[in-house]
Amino acid sequence: MKLYLSLPLFASLASAIWPIPVQYEHGDGVLFISEHVSFNWGAGAGNVGFTDQHENTYIFRANSDEISHVQDQQGGYRKRASSDEYGNASEAPTGDDMVDYAVYSAHRTIFKRGFVPWKFHPRDWEEPDPDEATYITEVKLELLQEDPEDIAKPLAGAVEESYALTLTKDGQATISANSSVGIIRGLTTFTQLFFQHSKEGAYTTLAPVKIFDAPKFQHRGVNLDVSRNYFSVKDIKRTIDALAYNKMNRFHLHVTDSQSWPLEIPSLPELSEKGAYRPDLVYSADDFRDLQHFAAIHGVEMITEIDMPGHTSSIYLSHPDLIAAYNVQPNWNTYAAEPPSGTLKLNSSAVSDFLETLLDDLLPRIYPFSSYFHTGGDEVNKNAYTLDDTVQSNDTAVLQPLMQKFIDRNHDQVRAMGLTPIVWEEMLLEWNLTLGDDVIVQSWQSDEAVAQIVEKGHKALVGNYQYWYLDCGKGQWLNFDPSIAASNWPFNDYCAPYHNWRAMYSYDPLSGVPDDKQHLVLGGEAHMWAEQTDPVNVDRMIWPRAAAAAEVLWSGAKDENGQNRSQIEAAPRLSEMRERLVARGVGADAIQMSYCTMNGTQCALGLS
Ligand SMILES: *[C@@H]1O[C@H](CO)[C@@H](O)[C@H](O)[C@H]1NC(C)=O
Ligand SMILES: *[C@@H]1O[C@H](CO)[C@@H](O)[C@H](O)[C@H]1NC(C)=O
Ligand SMILES: *[C@@H]1O[C@H](CO)[C@@H](O)[C@H](O)[C@H]1NC(C)=O
Ligand SMILES: *[C@@H]1O[C@H](CO)[C@@H](O)[C@H](O)[C@H]1NC(C)=O
Ligand SMILES: *[C@@H]1O[C@H](CO)[C@@H](O)[C@H](O)[C@H]1NC(C)=O
Ligand SMILES: *[C@@H]1O[C@H](CO)[C@@H](O)[C@H](O)[C@H]1NC(C)=O
Ligand SMILES: *[C@@H]1O[C@H](CO)[C@@H](O)[C@H](O)[C@H]1NC(C)=O
């Protein structure tokens, strides 16, 4: 067996696995995998006591349209057409539900969503011969410890995601992990060992394989803004499936903003009736539950954000009395970062009552599926409060105590529901608010901001906009009057240029953070703000660039020698991940011509 990283870079085309595991050794032996492969799910050797609850054998029928029939030990085939049918959709999935789904999904990935890897071999490449093959017929899944109770909605670090994977030369596969989520991650890796054969079946060329893997960061996510443009539940699920396939474990839904309020709040139905772009472009309470459950079954925790007090103008459409400085024109930019301007009033008991009702409705529906609630707090424009009849001032000394009360009220209510608040960095660094020790602060403006957050003792999420904003570099979405057009040419946006995958990959979440504070950096998110993204281009806007962030968050920005990770090593693996995403129905962007991936280092620069 050869150590992967000691191989010459080019000898190992199609070496699979994104993000790169902590320890990864493999050979070059061929194994096919039988479509009848059974997955045996149970407690690991020596672990008695919780075995009975976890014994299932999943046997897949060969008949292709019955792939989703799984047999448990009781013998019956359970017909499953979609992820919604795993577990009770009203409740958080159990670890067993998650593994159930992961087995179904792994089988489907290997046999229905595979790809023929011609792009990763020279022109004269020949596929392995299935007639002379050894077949993998069984995969052992071993749970080494009992799952914690809140397996589906952990606080950062509360569920261990490590796994060990071995595949012997003669086709014995074993995945062991300390939690069901670890089993899911291991199954995800397992699928990435296989390629589709152009005639039939699936095979690996990497046997034997020995992997131990564990994430560097506990919080690894994508943030999707579904207010600026509407995305269907299907679009969102496709995004969650893709991020889970990159071993990310958080999906941040920026669900409301000034431009639209697409979230149904049953006790305040007028919010979405009037605030959504159209009455049918709404996430019903059922949709919302469905999304949270879908994420959880993938080992992904959905974190919902209601951004406030700024970014709330869409509330005006149903509750005009609650919003100050609504849609000032034409100089909206004095009062907001984007049109329409508007903010929740800052010294209004009507606003407090409204928020009480809103969160009383929403938080109990989040509680089964998440330990977090994001109360926003970015880009609050002080001038808007000069037009707020309850304040009539933009003086920081006047506003700051009111903002403190505003956030204290919200966070008290979030905590009373048993949830942990998350805020944007401005609440701490610009408004200088006193936040509870439990509050996680999400940074976006700079590495210095991250350093300041952890210096103040708070846990931080990174996502520096100069690296991890996926929207940047498309140019302006504003239109310029002819009188100022020439001086704004060529209409770049504020965060240009476009951050290509290499730029995203070069970002180190720990940059500038002293050693003794690094434990406070929980991880980070890649952000998909949607002013210029809608369902038509969302896949290629997020993928595969967010995969670069996923590898930084799972594997760390530095390699095992403490050096910056190499683009030359990463590129073929990322190109392969892109093919795998496309094969699972995600329209990920192309990042290299086949010529580059067919022959290792032809497209490298600077090799010595
Ligand atoms: C699903 O969960 C809900 C809420 O906990 C419960 O009321 C319902 O009975 C459960 N359904 C099944 C089939 O177990
Ligand atoms: C499981 O936990 C043990 C004990 O903490 C640890 O040594 C091991 O690395 C963990 N992960 C796996 C996959 O066994
Ligand atoms: C906030 O509202 C209260 C009650 O309406 C009022 O007495 C107080 O002066 C207001 N505070 C500011 C800063 O305007
Ligand atoms: C407050 O408003 C005044 C007058 O419009 C303006 O000069 C000042 O810059 C504003 N202060 C802040 C903090 O925005
Ligand atoms: C921030 O608050 C702290 C303590 O409340 C205070 O010492 C400090 O001067 C404040 N800084 C600013 C810029 O308001
Ligand atoms: C490693 O990457 C960082 C950016 O994250 C950069 O500042 C640094 O110069 C790089 N180190 C080397 C040795 O190239
Ligand atoms: C890549 O191309 C070079 C010739 O340019 C050839 O010597 C080498 O064997 C090729 N490598 C692979 C992996 O095909």
PDB file of all heavy atoms in Angstrom, residues 572-604:
ATOM      1  N   PRO A 572      -7.372  18.311  -9.780  1.00  0.00           N
ATOM      2  CA  PRO A 572      -8.036  17.128 -10.348  1.00  0.00           C
ATOM      3  C   PRO A 572      -9.121  16.568  -9.432  1.00  0.00           C
ATOM      4  O   PRO A 572     -10.160  16.099  -9.908  1.00  0.00           O
ATOM      5  CB  PRO A 572      -6.900  16.114 -10.532  1.00  0.00           C
ATOM      6  CG  PRO A 572      -5.699  16.680  -9.884  1.00  0.00           C
ATOM      7  CD  PRO A 572      -5.927  18.132  -9.620  1.00  0.00           C
ATOM      8  N   ARG A 573      -8.912  16.658  -8.122  1.00  0.00           N
ATOM      9  CA  ARG A 573      -9.954  16.173  -7.212  1.00  0.00           C
ATOM     10  C   ARG A 573     -11.192  17.043  -7.281  1.00  0.00           C
ATOM     11  O   ARG A 573     -12.323  16.562  -7.221  1.00  0.00           O
ATOM     12  CB  ARG A 573      -9.424  16.086  -5.772  1.00  0.00           C
ATOM     13  CG  ARG A 573      -8.488  14.901  -5.525  1.00  0.00           C
ATOM     14  CD  ARG A 573      -8.086  14.775  -4.050  1.00  0.00           C
ATOM     15  NE  ARG A 573      -7.446  15.978  -3.544  1.00  0.00           N
ATOM     16  CZ  ARG A 573      -7.992  16.834  -2.705  1.00  0.00           C
ATOM     17  NH1 ARG A 573      -9.204  16.604  -2.229  1.00  0.00           N
ATOM     18  NH2 ARG A 573      -7.336  17.919  -2.321  1.00  0.00           N
ATOM     19  N   LEU A 574     -10.982  18.357  -7.386  1.00  0.00           N
ATOM     20  CA  LEU A 574     -12.140  19.251  -7.460  1.00  0.00           C
ATOM     21  C   LEU A 574     -12.875  19.061  -8.793  1.00  0.00           C
ATOM     22  O   LEU A 574     -14.110  19.069  -8.835  1.00  0.00           O
ATOM     23  CB  LEU A 574     -11.722  20.714  -7.281  1.00  0.00           C
ATOM     24  CG  LEU A 574     -12.891  21.700  -7.223  1.00  0.00           C
ATOM     25  CD1 LEU A 574     -13.805  21.413  -6.036  1.00  0.00           C
ATOM     26  CD2 LEU A 574     -12.395  23.151  -7.160  1.00  0.00           C
ATOM     27  N   SER A 575     -12.107  18.873  -9.855  1.00  0.00           N
ATOM     28  CA  SER A 575     -12.747  18.621 -11.155  1.00  0.00           C
ATOM     29  C   SER A 575     -13.567  17.347 -11.087  1.00  0.00           C
ATOM     30  O   SER A 575     -14.644  17.248 -11.678  1.00  0.00           O
ATOM     31  CB  SER A 575     -11.687  18.504 -12.255  1.00  0.00           C
ATOM     32  OG  SER A 575     -11.103  19.762 -12.485  1.00  0.00           O
ATOM     33  N   GLU A 576     -13.054  16.377 -10.346  1.00  0.00           N
ATOM     34  CA  GLU A 576     -13.791  15.131 -10.199  1.00  0.00           C
ATOM     35  C   GLU A 576     -15.050  15.344  -9.359  1.00  0.00           C
ATOM     36  O   GLU A 576     -16.127  14.836  -9.687  1.00  0.00           O
ATOM     37  CB  GLU A 576     -12.874  14.102  -9.538  1.00  0.00           C
ATOM     38  CG  GLU A 576     -13.406  12.711  -9.677  1.00  0.00           C
ATOM     39  CD  GLU A 576     -12.507  11.710  -8.960  1.00  0.00           C
ATOM     40  OE1 GLU A 576     -11.287  11.691  -9.215  1.00  0.00           O
ATOM     41  OE2 GLU A 576     -13.042  10.969  -8.132  1.00  0.00           O
ATOM     42  N   MET A 577     -14.929  16.118  -8.280  1.00  0.00           N
ATOM     43  CA  MET A 577     -16.106  16.429  -7.460  1.00  0.00           C
ATOM     44  C   MET A 577     -17.154  17.127  -8.318  1.00  0.00           C
ATOM     45  O   MET A 577     -18.350  16.862  -8.206  1.00  0.00           O
ATOM     46  CB  MET A 577     -15.705  17.294  -6.257  1.00  0.00           C
ATOM     47  CG  MET A 577     -16.881  17.815  -5.427  1.00  0.00           C
ATOM     48  SD  MET A 577     -18.139  16.584  -4.969  1.00  0.00           S
ATOM     49  CE  MET A 577     -17.709  16.186  -3.299  1.00  0.00           C
ATOM     50  N   ARG A 578     -16.694  18.003  -9.205  1.00  0.00           N
ATOM     51  CA  ARG A 578     -17.625  18.693 -10.098  1.00  0.00           C
ATOM     52  C   ARG A 578     -18.397  17.680 -10.953  1.00  0.00           C
ATOM     53  O   ARG A 578     -19.610  17.801 -11.128  1.00  0.00           O
ATOM     54  CB  ARG A 578     -16.848  19.681 -10.964  1.00  0.00           C
ATOM     55  CG  ARG A 578     -17.706  20.545 -11.846  1.00  0.00           C
ATOM     56  CD  ARG A 578     -17.878  19.944 -13.225  1.00  0.00           C
ATOM     57  NE  ARG A 578     -18.749  20.769 -14.041  1.00  0.00           N
ATOM     58  CZ  ARG A 578     -18.966  20.554 -15.336  1.00  0.00           C
ATOM     59  NH1 ARG A 578     -18.361  19.563 -15.958  1.00  0.00           N
ATOM     60  NH2 ARG A 578     -19.787  21.327 -15.994  1.00  0.00           N
ATOM     61  N   GLU A 579     -17.710  16.678 -11.463  1.00  0.00           N
ATOM     62  CA  GLU A 579     -18.396  15.654 -12.258  1.00  0.00           C
ATOM     63  C   GLU A 579     -19.404  14.902 -11.394  1.00  0.00           C
ATOM     64  O   GLU A 579     -20.496  14.553 -11.843  1.00  0.00           O
ATOM     65  CB  GLU A 579     -17.402  14.656 -12.854  1.00  0.00           C
ATOM     66  CG  GLU A 579     -16.373  15.271 -13.807  1.00  0.00           C
ATOM     67  CD  GLU A 579     -16.989  16.011 -14.971  1.00  0.00           C
ATOM     68  OE1 GLU A 579     -17.960  15.510 -15.569  1.00  0.00           O
ATOM     69  OE2 GLU A 579     -16.502  17.120 -15.286  1.00  0.00           O
ATOM     70  N   ARG A 580     -19.030  14.649 -10.152  1.00  0.00           N
ATOM     71  CA  ARG A 580     -19.933  13.913  -9.258  1.00  0.00           C
ATOM     72  C   ARG A 580     -21.174  14.754  -8.938  1.00  0.00           C
ATOM     73  O   ARG A 580     -22.278  14.232  -8.830  1.00  0.00           O
ATOM     74  CB  ARG A 580     -19.215  13.505  -7.971  1.00  0.00           C
ATOM     75  CG  ARG A 580     -18.143  12.451  -8.217  1.00  0.00           C
ATOM     76  CD  ARG A 580     -17.552  11.887  -6.933  1.00  0.00           C
ATOM     77  NE  ARG A 580     -16.443  10.989  -7.258  1.00  0.00           N
ATOM     78  CZ  ARG A 580     -16.588   9.702  -7.617  1.00  0.00           C
ATOM     79  NH1 ARG A 580     -17.796   9.159  -7.678  1.00  0.00           N
ATOM     80  NH2 ARG A 580     -15.535   8.972  -7.928  1.00  0.00           N
ATOM     81  N   LEU A 581     -20.981  16.066  -8.785  1.00  0.00           N
ATOM     82  CA  LEU A 581     -22.131  16.942  -8.536  1.00  0.00           C
ATOM     83  C   LEU A 581     -23.056  16.965  -9.749  1.00  0.00           C
ATOM     84  O   LEU A 581     -24.278  16.871  -9.619  1.00  0.00           O
ATOM     85  CB  LEU A 581     -21.655  18.355  -8.178  1.00  0.00           C
ATOM     86  CG  LEU A 581     -21.000  18.506  -6.802  1.00  0.00           C
ATOM     87  CD1 LEU A 581     -20.354  19.883  -6.660  1.00  0.00           C
ATOM     88  CD2 LEU A 581     -22.015  18.280  -5.679  1.00  0.00           C
ATOM     89  N   VAL A 582     -22.458  17.075 -10.929  1.00  0.00           N
ATOM     90  CA  VAL A 582     -23.272  17.087 -12.151  1.00  0.00           C
ATOM     91  C   VAL A 582     -24.068  15.787 -12.244  1.00  0.00           C
ATOM     92  O   VAL A 582     -25.264  15.790 -12.549  1.00  0.00           O
ATOM     93  CB  VAL A 582     -22.379  17.299 -13.394  1.00  0.00           C
ATOM     94  CG1 VAL A 582     -23.169  17.077 -14.681  1.00  0.00           C
ATOM     95  CG2 VAL A 582     -21.772  18.708 -13.374  1.00  0.00           C
ATOM     96  N   ALA A 583     -23.397  14.667 -11.912  1.00  0.00           N
ATOM     97  CA  ALA A 583     -24.062  13.366 -11.998  1.00  0.00           C
ATOM     98  C   ALA A 583     -25.224  13.259 -11.017  1.00  0.00           C
ATOM     99  O   ALA A 583     -26.146  12.480 -11.217  1.00  0.00           O
ATOM    100  CB  ALA A 583     -23.055  12.247 -11.744  1.00  0.00           C
ATOM    101  N   ARG A 584     -25.187  14.042  -9.939  1.00  0.00           N
ATOM    102  CA  ARG A 584     -26.325  13.985  -9.013  1.00  0.00           C
ATOM    103  C   ARG A 584     -27.324  15.115  -9.256  1.00  0.00           C
ATOM    104  O   ARG A 584     -28.137  15.440  -8.402  1.00  0.00           O
ATOM    105  CB  ARG A 584     -25.886  13.878  -7.546  1.00  0.00           C
ATOM    106  CG  ARG A 584     -25.097  15.016  -7.000  1.00  0.00           C
ATOM    107  CD  ARG A 584     -24.308  14.607  -5.753  1.00  0.00           C
ATOM    108  NE  ARG A 584     -25.130  14.270  -4.616  1.00  0.00           N
ATOM    109  CZ  ARG A 584     -25.193  13.051  -4.052  1.00  0.00           C
ATOM    110  NH1 ARG A 584     -24.471  12.067  -4.520  1.00  0.00           N
ATOM    111  NH2 ARG A 584     -25.952  12.826  -3.012  1.00  0.00           N
ATOM    112  N   GLY A 585     -27.232  15.732 -10.429  1.00  0.00           N
ATOM    113  CA  GLY A 585     -28.264  16.678 -10.826  1.00  0.00           C
ATOM    114  C   GLY A 585     -28.003  18.116 -10.438  1.00  0.00           C
ATOM    115  O   GLY A 585     -28.900  18.957 -10.476  1.00  0.00           O
ATOM    116  N   VAL A 586     -26.765  18.418 -10.062  1.00  0.00           N
ATOM    117  CA  VAL A 586     -26.401  19.789  -9.696  1.00  0.00           C
ATOM    118  C   VAL A 586     -25.616  20.395 -10.864  1.00  0.00           C
ATOM    119  O   VAL A 586     -24.607  19.829 -11.279  1.00  0.00           O
ATOM    120  CB  VAL A 586     -25.512  19.789  -8.420  1.00  0.00           C
ATOM    121  CG1 VAL A 586     -25.090  21.204  -8.056  1.00  0.00           C
ATOM    122  CG2 VAL A 586     -26.255  19.124  -7.267  1.00  0.00           C
ATOM    123  N   GLY A 587     -26.087  21.518 -11.369  1.00  0.00           N
ATOM    124  CA  GLY A 587     -25.459  22.117 -12.548  1.00  0.00           C
ATOM    125  C   GLY A 587     -24.197  22.890 -12.208  1.00  0.00           C
ATOM    126  O   GLY A 587     -24.073  24.082 -12.487  1.00  0.00           O
ATOM    127  N   ALA A 588     -23.224  22.212 -11.619  1.00  0.00           N
ATOM    128  CA  ALA A 588     -21.982  22.868 -11.197  1.00  0.00           C
ATOM    129  C   ALA A 588     -21.193  23.360 -12.405  1.00  0.00           C
ATOM    130  O   ALA A 588     -21.176  22.714 -13.452  1.00  0.00           O
ATOM    131  CB  ALA A 588     -21.142  21.898 -10.368  1.00  0.00           C
ATOM    132  N   ASP A 589     -20.532  24.483 -12.243  1.00  0.00           N
ATOM    133  CA  ASP A 589     -19.787  25.122 -13.324  1.00  0.00           C
ATOM    134  C   ASP A 589     -18.566  24.285 -13.723  1.00  0.00           C
ATOM    135  O   ASP A 589     -17.992  23.569 -12.901  1.00  0.00           O
ATOM    136  CB  ASP A 589     -19.299  26.493 -12.828  1.00  0.00           C
ATOM    137  CG  ASP A 589     -19.254  27.516 -13.947  1.00  0.00           C
ATOM    138  OD1 ASP A 589     -19.445  27.144 -15.124  1.00  0.00           O
ATOM    139  OD2 ASP A 589     -19.031  28.699 -13.633  1.00  0.00           O
ATOM    140  N   ALA A 590     -18.167  24.415 -14.975  1.00  0.00           N
ATOM    141  CA  ALA A 590     -16.930  23.773 -15.446  1.00  0.00           C
ATOM    142  C   ALA A 590     -15.749  24.612 -14.983  1.00  0.00           C
ATOM    143  O   ALA A 590     -15.813  25.839 -15.003  1.00  0.00           O
ATOM    144  CB  ALA A 590     -16.943  23.679 -16.961  1.00  0.00           C
ATOM    145  N   ILE A 591     -14.683  23.957 -14.545  1.00  0.00           N
ATOM    146  CA  ILE A 591     -13.528  24.734 -14.097  1.00  0.00           C
ATOM    147  C   ILE A 591     -12.250  24.451 -14.877  1.00  0.00           C
ATOM    148  O   ILE A 591     -11.266  25.153 -14.725  1.00  0.00           O
ATOM    149  CB  ILE A 591     -13.259  24.549 -12.581  1.00  0.00           C
ATOM    150  CG1 ILE A 591     -13.058  23.083 -12.225  1.00  0.00           C
ATOM    151  CG2 ILE A 591     -14.361  25.178 -11.750  1.00  0.00           C
ATOM    152  CD1 ILE A 591     -12.500  22.887 -10.825  1.00  0.00           C
ATOM    153  N   GLN A 592     -12.234  23.419 -15.670  1.00  0.00           N
ATOM    154  CA  GLN A 592     -11.047  23.132 -16.471  1.00  0.00           C
ATOM    155  C   GLN A 592     -11.458  22.456 -17.759  1.00  0.00           C
ATOM    156  O   GLN A 592     -12.469  21.762 -17.815  1.00  0.00           O
ATOM    157  CB  GLN A 592     -10.091  22.203 -15.712  1.00  0.00           C
ATOM    158  CG  GLN A 592      -9.023  22.955 -14.953  1.00  0.00           C
ATOM    159  CD  GLN A 592      -8.033  22.035 -14.260  1.00  0.00           C
ATOM    160  OE1 GLN A 592      -8.401  20.959 -13.826  1.00  0.00           O
ATOM    161  NE2 GLN A 592      -6.805  22.473 -14.169  1.00  0.00           N
ATOM    162  N   MET A 593     -10.620  22.612 -18.793  1.00  0.00           N
ATOM    163  CA  MET A 593     -10.876  21.840 -20.009  1.00  0.00           C
ATOM    164  C   MET A 593     -10.374  20.420 -19.789  1.00  0.00           C
ATOM    165  O   MET A 593      -9.467  20.174 -18.986  1.00  0.00           O
ATOM    166  CB  MET A 593     -10.211  22.481 -21.212  1.00  0.00           C
ATOM    167  CG  MET A 593      -8.765  22.829 -21.008  1.00  0.00           C
ATOM    168  SD  MET A 593      -8.136  23.659 -22.485  1.00  0.00           S
ATOM    169  CE  MET A 593      -6.651  24.400 -21.815  1.00  0.00           C
ATOM    170  N   SER A 594     -10.966  19.491 -20.515  1.00  0.00           N
ATOM    171  CA  SER A 594     -10.633  18.078 -20.328  1.00  0.00           C
ATOM    172  C   SER A 594      -9.144  17.842 -20.554  1.00  0.00           C
ATOM    173  O   SER A 594      -8.535  16.989 -19.906  1.00  0.00           O
ATOM    174  CB  SER A 594     -11.446  17.213 -21.291  1.00  0.00           C
ATOM    175  OG  SER A 594     -12.813  17.449 -21.069  1.00  0.00           O
ATOM    176  N   TYR A 595      -8.567  18.617 -21.449  1.00  0.00           N
ATOM    177  CA  TYR A 595      -7.136  18.465 -21.720  1.00  0.00           C
ATOM    178  C   TYR A 595      -6.327  18.543 -20.426  1.00  0.00           C
ATOM    179  O   TYR A 595      -5.374  17.784 -20.237  1.00  0.00           O
ATOM    180  CB  TYR A 595      -6.689  19.567 -22.690  1.00  0.00           C
ATOM    181  CG  TYR A 595      -5.187  19.613 -22.862  1.00  0.00           C
ATOM    182  CD1 TYR A 595      -4.539  18.665 -23.649  1.00  0.00           C
ATOM    183  CD2 TYR A 595      -4.419  20.575 -22.197  1.00  0.00           C
ATOM    184  CE1 TYR A 595      -3.161  18.686 -23.784  1.00  0.00           C
ATOM    185  CE2 TYR A 595      -3.045  20.599 -22.324  1.00  0.00           C
ATOM    186  CZ  TYR A 595      -2.421  19.650 -23.122  1.00  0.00           C
ATOM    187  OH  TYR A 595      -1.067  19.663 -23.242  1.00  0.00           O
ATOM    188  N   CYS A 596      -6.698  19.446 -19.538  1.00  0.00           N
ATOM    189  CA  CYS A 596      -5.940  19.629 -18.289  1.00  0.00           C
ATOM    190  C   CYS A 596      -6.109  18.442 -17.350  1.00  0.00           C
ATOM    191  O   CYS A 596      -5.170  18.037 -16.685  1.00  0.00           O
ATOM    192  CB  CYS A 596      -6.392  20.895 -17.577  1.00  0.00           C
ATOM    193  SG  CYS A 596      -6.071  22.400 -18.493  1.00  0.00           S
ATOM    194  N   THR A 597      -7.323  17.905 -17.283  1.00  0.00           N
ATOM    195  CA  THR A 597      -7.567  16.822 -16.321  1.00  0.00           C
ATOM    196  C   THR A 597      -7.150  15.468 -16.884  1.00  0.00           C
ATOM    197  O   THR A 597      -6.940  14.531 -16.129  1.00  0.00           O
ATOM    198  CB  THR A 597      -9.054  16.780 -15.921  1.00  0.00           C
ATOM    199  OG1 THR A 597      -9.849  16.749 -17.106  1.00  0.00           O
ATOM    200  CG2 THR A 597      -9.413  17.971 -15.075  1.00  0.00           C
ATOM    201  N   MET A 598      -7.009  15.371 -18.201  1.00  0.00           N
ATOM    202  CA  MET A 598      -6.636  14.084 -18.800  1.00  0.00           C
ATOM    203  C   MET A 598      -5.171  13.758 -18.575  1.00  0.00           C
ATOM    204  O   MET A 598      -4.785  12.599 -18.597  1.00  0.00           O
ATOM    205  CB  MET A 598      -6.928  14.074 -20.302  1.00  0.00           C
ATOM    206  CG  MET A 598      -8.401  13.944 -20.603  1.00  0.00           C
ATOM    207  SD  MET A 598      -8.738  14.100 -22.358  1.00  0.00           S
ATOM    208  CE  MET A 598      -8.670  12.394 -22.884  1.00  0.00           C
ATOM    209  N   ASN A 599      -4.392  14.788 -18.407  1.00  0.00           N
ATOM    210  CA  ASN A 599      -2.970  14.520 -18.210  1.00  0.00           C
ATOM    211  C   ASN A 599      -2.418  15.451 -17.149  1.00  0.00           C
ATOM    212  O   ASN A 599      -1.918  16.538 -17.440  1.00  0.00           O
ATOM    213  CB  ASN A 599      -2.219  14.658 -19.541  1.00  0.00           C
ATOM    214  CG  ASN A 599      -0.781  14.228 -19.397  1.00  0.00           C
ATOM    215  OD1 ASN A 599      -0.206  14.344 -18.323  1.00  0.00           O
ATOM    216  ND2 ASN A 599      -0.198  13.734 -20.469  1.00  0.00           N
ATOM    217  N   GLY A 600      -2.566  14.979 -15.917  1.00  0.00           N
ATOM    218  CA  GLY A 600      -2.050  15.573 -14.706  1.00  0.00           C
ATOM    219  C   GLY A 600      -1.606  17.014 -14.694  1.00  0.00           C
ATOM    220  O   GLY A 600      -2.397  17.886 -14.377  1.00  0.00           O
ATOM    221  N   THR A 601      -0.362  17.274 -15.030  1.00  0.00           N
ATOM    222  CA  THR A 601       0.212  18.584 -14.728  1.00  0.00           C
ATOM    223  C   THR A 601       0.453  19.441 -15.961  1.00  0.00           C
ATOM    224  O   THR A 601       1.172  20.424 -15.902  1.00  0.00           O
ATOM    225  CB  THR A 601       1.540  18.404 -13.993  1.00  0.00           C
ATOM    226  OG1 THR A 601       2.383  17.576 -14.794  1.00  0.00           O
ATOM    227  CG2 THR A 601       1.326  17.748 -12.644  1.00  0.00           C
ATOM    228  N   GLN A 602      -0.161  19.076 -17.085  1.00  0.00           N
ATOM    229  CA  GLN A 602       0.054  19.878 -18.298  1.00  0.00           C
ATOM    230  C   GLN A 602      -0.355  21.334 -18.077  1.00  0.00           C
ATOM    231  O   GLN A 602       0.186  22.227 -18.704  1.00  0.00           O
ATOM    232  CB  GLN A 602      -0.756  19.308 -19.464  1.00  0.00           C
ATOM    233  CG  GLN A 602      -0.368  17.898 -19.856  1.00  0.00           C
ATOM    234  CD  GLN A 602       1.009  17.815 -20.471  1.00  0.00           C
ATOM    235  OE1 GLN A 602       1.244  18.379 -21.521  1.00  0.00           O
ATOM    236  NE2 GLN A 602       1.926  17.153 -19.793  1.00  0.00           N
ATOM    237  N   CYS A 603      -1.309  21.570 -17.210  1.00  0.00           N
ATOM    238  CA  CYS A 603      -1.827  22.924 -17.034  1.00  0.00           C
ATOM    239  C   CYS A 603      -1.317  23.586 -15.748  1.00  0.00           C
ATOM    240  O   CYS A 603      -1.937  24.517 -15.239  1.00  0.00           O
ATOM    241  CB  CYS A 603      -3.352  22.909 -17.064  1.00  0.00           C
ATOM    242  SG  CYS A 603      -4.008  22.264 -18.613  1.00  0.00           S
ATOM    243  N   ALA A 604      -0.225  23.081 -15.213  1.00  0.00           N
ATOM    244  CA  ALA A 604       0.343  23.700 -14.014  1.00  0.00           C
ATOM    245  C   ALA A 604       1.338  24.790 -14.398  1.00  0.00           C
ATOM    246  O   ALA A 604       1.883  24.787 -15.498  1.00  0.00           O
ATOM    247  CB  ALA A 604       1.036  22.651 -13.160  1.00  0.00           C
TER     248      ALA A 604
END
